[in-house]
Amino acid sequence: MDLYLPIANLSVNALVIIALGAGVGLLSGMFGVGGGFLTTPLLIVYGIPPTVAAASAASQVTGASVSGVFAHWQRGGVDVKMGGVLVAGGIIGSFIGAYIFRLLQASGQIDTVIAIVYVLMLGWIGSVMAREALAAIIAARRGVAQRAARRRHHPLVAALPFRTRFYASGIYISPLAPLLLGMFTGVLTILLGIGGGFVLVPAMIYILGMATRVVLGTSLFQTLFVTAAATMVHATTTKAVDIVLAGLLLIGSVTGAQLGAKFATNVKPEYLRLALAVIVLLVGLRILLGLVWRPEEIFTVQLS
C-alpha cells in the first residue's frame, strides 16, 4: 500500500509508516517517554530526508501529547504557572531554532548536522539509561535499597534574580531558569523534531528541583504547545512539514501507546529502562553507520 509524500517527494509503504508509529507509541506507553527522539532517527533510517523527518515528527508529537496532558491535568499533576514560563521560552527557542535551521539549509549541511546530533544525543542518552538501569538491577538482586537523591535546585538557579514561588512545584526560584530551559528545548524541537521531554524531565528534577508528582504533566504541557508552535514555524518558514507522513505516524502511535501502557504493568521498570537503552543505542549506531559507511555509489544525480 504505497502512498506519495508530497513534501518528502517520495513514495512509502503506508503500513510500514503506521507500524513505525505504533512501535514508537508502544515504547512511549511502556517506558513513559514521548518517543519523539526515536521517531525522527527511525524515519531517517527508513529513508525519509532528515529535514522532513524532523519537521513532521514534531507535529506527530503534538497529537500524541494531548491525551497525556489531559490525564495528568485531571490528577492535578500540571503546574500551569511553571508550564506557562516553559512554553514562553519554548516559543522563543522555536524561532531561534528556525533561524539556525534555515542557515543550515542554505549551507546544504542540515541533513548531516541532524544525523550527527542524533548520534551524539542517542549515544549519551542510551549510555546514561543503561548505566542507571544496570545499577538498579544489580542493587535489586543484592537486596540493597538505592538511596533516593535529595531534591533541590542547582546553585546557579538559586543565584538568578527575580525569584518567585511556584506553589504546585514546591519551589522558590527565578522564572529566568525555566525560561532558558524552555528556550533550549524549543531549539531542539525545531532542529530535531522532538518534544524535548527526555531533556526537560531530568532538568526539571535535578536543576529546577521540582516536585516529581508534577514533572511529567508539566513537561507534557510544555511539549504540547511548543511542538504545536514548532510545527507552525516549520510550515511557514522551512516548508518541511509533510502532513501525510505526520498523519500516518499519529494513527500508529495512538494505538501503540495504549498497548504499551498495558504491557508496562507486567514488567519491572529497571528492565524496561535497560531495554529502552539498548534500543536507543542500536538506533544511534545505525545512524552512525549511515554517516561513516562507504555507500555503493559515491554520489547520485537527481533531476528536479
Side-chain angles (χ1 to χ4, degrees), residues 93 97 117 121 183-194 196 198-199:
V117 171
M121 182 183 69
M183 289 175 62
F184 178 68
T185 56
V187 172
L188 286 181
T189 301
I190 285 288
L191 292 180
L192 304 179
I194 59 178
F198 72 94
V199 171

Side-chain angles (χ1 to χ4, degrees), residues 16 151 157 159 174 206 210 264:
V16 171
R151 182 171 66 87
V157 174
S174 169
Y206 299 114
M210 290 175 57

Side-chain angles (χ1 to χ4, degrees), residues 21-168:
V24 173
L26 184 69
L27 294 176
S28 300
M30 290 179 65
F31 304 117
V33 296
F37 70 97
L38 281 175
T39 304
T40 303
L42 287 174
L43 288 174
I44 294 172
V45 170
Y46 182 69
I48 305 296
T51 50
V52 177
S56 303
S59 59
Q60 183 259 346
V61 172
T62 302
S65 301
V66 174
S67 60
V69 170
F70 279 114
H72 284 282
W73 186 286
Q74 292 173 349
R75 294 195 296 266
V78 178
D79 186 337
V80 179
K81 183 179 180 180
M82 176 65 73
V85 177
L86 289 168
V87 168
I91 292 175
I92 296 171
S94 296
F95 287 102
I96 297 173
Y99 177 73
I100 298 173
F101 197 100
R102 289 197 302 272
L103 287 179
L104 292 172
Q105 270 187 322
S107 68
Q109 300 299 318
I110 182 64
D111 290 354
T112 303
V113 170
I114 289 176
I116 292 174
V117 171
Y118 261 113
V119 169
L120 296 174
M121 182 183 69
L122 295 178
W124 172 67
I125 295 172
S127 300
V128 171
M129 290 182 64
R131 185 174 67 250
E132 291 182 351
L134 287 172
I137 292 172
I138 293 172
R141 289 186 174 182
R142 293 178 177 176
V144 178
Q146 287 188 304
R147 187 173 61 180
R150 184 182 177 185
R151 182 171 66 87
R152 57 174 297 178
H153 50 261
H154 194 277
L156 292 177
V157 174
L160 293 174
F162 313 117
R163 296 171 71 179
T164 185
R165 294 194 182 278
F166 295 90
Y167 291 99

